[in-house]
Amino acid sequence: MHHYLTLLKKDLTQEFRTKEMLTSMGIYALLVLVVFGAALAQTASGFDILQMSGGLLWVLIVFTSLLGLNRSFAHEKENGCLEGVLLIPLDRSVIFLAKATSNLLFLFAVEVVTVPLFYFFFLTTTTPAASFWMIVAPLIVGTVGIAGIGTLLSTITINTRGRDVMLAVLFIPLVYPLLYACVSATTAAIIGSEGFMDVFAPALLLAGGYDIIMVLLSWVLYDFVISA
Amino acid sequence: MSALEVSRLTKAFGSRKAVDQVSFAVPEGAFLSIFGPNGAGKTTLLRVLATLSRPTSGSAQLLGIDIKEAADKARTHIGLISHSPMLYPDLTAEENLLFVARLYGLADAQGRVGEMLDAVELKHRRHDTVRTFSRGMTQRLSIARALIHDPAVVFLDEPYSGLDPHAVEIFDGLIDVVRQDRTFIMVSHDLRKGFDMCSHALMLAKGRVVAFDEKASIDFAGFSQLYAQTVGMGVA
């Protein structure tokens, strides 16, 4: 446990000192919101933003996560720090857990700012359902999956040429089932039509199940991936 | 007991053998310098021996511990100083050493960090981030990092790369201080310097050992002539 806390503390100290990931993800998320705004500015008055908002929110989260995940190992690569950690006798899966936790916390921090901004930009002219607050559940479940799978993939791509593209190429297909389930659950919660729980609950269960399988798989595979 | 006993060690990347059937042994307290032209497999050999890369075949025992079967046990005895300092530039000198000391599970991590900062004469800069350090200071801190858990075997991978003459002098002084009772394995391009420092010398070419002996049995002129010949032998 002390290995996990030491690794996590190092990541948090570094990020709070440089604010590199948080700033870049935050600014990027804001810019994506502006682009969405421009793209939807000419839609007809009959256009129902509620139907699309779940999808748009997850586009924002996935793209912002990709940017952050690409940077999450930049410090480890610089100066050969990752090799320094690998020289220490510790369980490799603890490195995964600590890095995935720090990525998760940074993604949550960005979401805390961007989700209200998303609401302000797109949902103030309409009336989301009373169940809107329930989007917190797919946001948490989806972000956990993104952080877990993304941490594994960013480790795989750290030494590849064109790692930014490579991460996206591996990441999007792998998180697709999770993304699909989270978009369904989020949209159901925002619209909140009668019987929305019939969509919301199974979608959330699917996302949760996918999280458990993929995060466990990432954890088990991490020793092999990082040693290779 | 041998500090390091290597037997028919091979590391292949696909069909290319970067290290090919390498065998040698050095006693505890020895200083082994490994020479060879670019692409001879020196750094690959060092990485395998330091447990950063798994061998394809063969074996290596570090203080009697099989590095393939018991890598974690071997790691407690290994220190590595490389041209990459392995330090986080946005953490302070103290934070960097504390991070490593805690991962090694040292009982009095704070006390040991203070000792090591004293040893490398960086106590006055302990609250400064590594990013603000000169190359020489960073390298001194990387020595403290590598030795914080008091390893018995220290690997040096081109440690002089990028150091100015004054920093080299300081580095040499530090190595002299910490040399007692430790085994050093150094990869170097600098034949004269590496030879002066060593008790044993090994020359690699195309991944294979072309010469290995105690320094006392080696004639430097003949050794440097052999080195010149290996430069033309190409990459492993």
Side-chain angles (χ1 to χ4, degrees):
Chain A
M1 188 67 180
H2 88 273
H3 282 157
Y4 169 77
L5 292 174
T6 304
L7 287 162
L8 182 61
K9 187 182 168 199
K10 180 263 298 169
D11 279 351
L12 298 181
T13 307
Q14 214 167 219
E15 183 54 32
F16 289 132
R17 192 159 293 156
T18 64
K19 296 177 184 66
E20 220 172 271
M21 260 175 89
L22 289 172
T23 311
S24 55
M25 282 198 293
I27 291 173
Y28 184 78
L30 192 67
L31 292 173
V32 173
L33 284 174
V34 171
V35 171
F36 283 168
L40 299 174
Q42 301 304 316
T43 50
S45 55
F47 174 76
D48 186 4
I49 186 68
L50 288 181
Q51 290 282 354
M52 278 192 76
S53 52
L56 288 177
L57 183 59
W58 278 98
V59 168
L60 173 72
I61 291 170
V62 166
F63 285 156
T64 307
S65 306
L66 270 173
L67 185 81
L69 290 166
N70 257 321
R71 286 176 166 268
S72 70
F73 270 94
H75 289 297
E76 304 295 338
K77 181 100 170 114
E78 196 177 0
N79 287 349
C81 292
L82 184 61
E83 293 200 334
V85 173
L86 293 178
L87 275 169
I88 298 168
L90 58 94
D91 188 348
R92 288 355 192 193
S93 56
V94 176
I95 302 174
F96 166 77
L97 286 178
K99 188 56 89 178
T101 307
S102 62
N103 284 336
L104 180 67
L105 293 175
F106 299 147
L107 289 174
F108 277 152
V110 172
E111 285 171 14
V112 163
V113 177
T114 53
V115 173
L117 277 175
F118 181 84
Y119 185 93
F120 175 76
F121 268 69
F122 301 108
L123 299 176
T124 43
T125 54
T126 180
T127 317
S131 56
F132 179 81
W133 66 270
M134 290 174 78
I135 68 164
V136 171
L139 278 177
I140 291 173
V141 173
T143 311
V144 166
I146 285 173
I149 299 166
T151 301
L152 176 76
L153 295 181
S154 59
T155 310
I156 292 173
T157 56
I158 186 174
N159 286 322
T160 59
R161 248 186 248 174
R163 66 169 193 259
D164 300 0
V165 176
M166 189 58 80
L167 178 62
V169 166
L170 295 173
F171 181 75
I172 304 280
L174 225 76
V175 296
Y176 188 82
L178 179 69
L179 189 60
Y180 188 87
C182 287
V183 169
S184 301
T186 308
T187 308
I190 292 173
I191 296 172
S193 55
E194 202 177 323
F196 83 98
M197 280 302 280
D198 294 343
V199 177
F200 183 84
L204 198 61
L205 272 177
L206 175 66
Y210 194 76
D211 265 11
I212 291 167
I213 293 167
M214 292 309 288
V215 173
L216 279 179
L217 201 63
S218 302
W219 182 52
V220 169
L221 286 175
Y222 204 71
D223 187 6
F224 170 75
V225 165
I226 205 161
S227 302
Chain B
M1 182 170 57
S2 291
L4 195 58
E5 197 169 340
V6 180
S7 174
R8 301 169 70 85
L9 195 76
T10 299
K11 175 70 185 179
F13 299 100
S15 59
R16 190 178 66 84
K17 287 180 178 167
V19 174
D20 191 4
Q21 304 269 330
V22 166
S23 300
F24 66 88
V26 285
E28 284 183 50
F31 193 119
L32 170 69
S33 288
I34 303 174
F35 305 102
N38 288 337
K42 306 183 293 295
T43 296
T44 306
L45 175 61
L46 198 84
R47 286 177 58 82
V48 170
L49 296 176
T51 71
L52 284 172
S53 182
R54 280 179 71 83
T56 308
S57 63
S59 68
Q61 309 267 329
L62 187 133
L63 301 169
I65 303 161
D66 190 316
I67 62 159
K68 205 170 167 181
E69 301 304 323
D72 264 355
K73 199 172 169 197
R75 282 181 188 122
T76 59
H77 303 288
I78 291 174
L80 172 65
I81 300 167
S82 140
H83 47 271
S84 298
M86 301 182 204
L87 298 164
Y88 293 92
D90 295 306
L91 296 186
T92 66
E94 189 174 69
E95 284 168 345
N96 263 292
L97 296 190
L98 265 177
F99 169 67
V100 178
R102 285 184 178 139
L103 287 181
Y104 275 111
L106 303 187
D108 178 19
Q110 191 76 51
R112 181 66 178 156
V113 166
E115 264 174 48
M116 293 312 294
L117 284 170
D118 249 348
V120 295
E121 296 172 24
L122 284 172
K123 206 161 192 175
H124 64 295
R125 297 289 303 268
R126 66 183 186 277
H127 296 310
D128 294 339
T129 57
V130 171
R131 199 174 283 289
T132 63
F133 284 14
S134 69
R135 175 85 177 98
M137 288 165 72
T138 307
Q139 194 63 321
R140 270 150 62 196
L141 189 62
S142 83
I143 296 175
R145 186 209 181 282
L147 301 181
I148 199 153
H149 58 299
D150 199 17
V153 180
V154 180
F155 293 92
L156 305 163
D157 183 11
E158 306 274 9
Y160 297 99
S161 167
L163 292 186
D164 62 39
H166 180 59
V168 167
E169 213 173 283
I170 294 171
F171 187 85
D172 281 349
L174 278 170
I175 295 293
D176 279 344
V177 170
V178 299
R179 189 162 168 176
Q180 194 145 20
D181 302 329
R182 287 196 170 92
T183 305
F184 281 80
I185 314 288
M186 179 170 81
V187 160
S188 177
H189 268 119
D190 187 338
L191 193 62
R192 181 74 259 178
K193 186 162 188 57
F195 197 79
D196 284 347
M197 292 174 82
C198 76
S199 64
H200 293 68
L202 184 148
M203 195 177 298
L204 282 178
K206 297 181 85 172
R208 287 177 170 267
V209 176
V210 290
F212 170 69
D213 215 332
E214 282 183 54
K215 183 161 92 173
S217 319
I218 299 171
D219 160 47
F220 182 71
F223 195 73
S224 46
Q225 205 172 6
L226 181 63
Y227 181 77
Q229 286 166 11
T230 64
V231 172
M233 287 175 72
V235 175

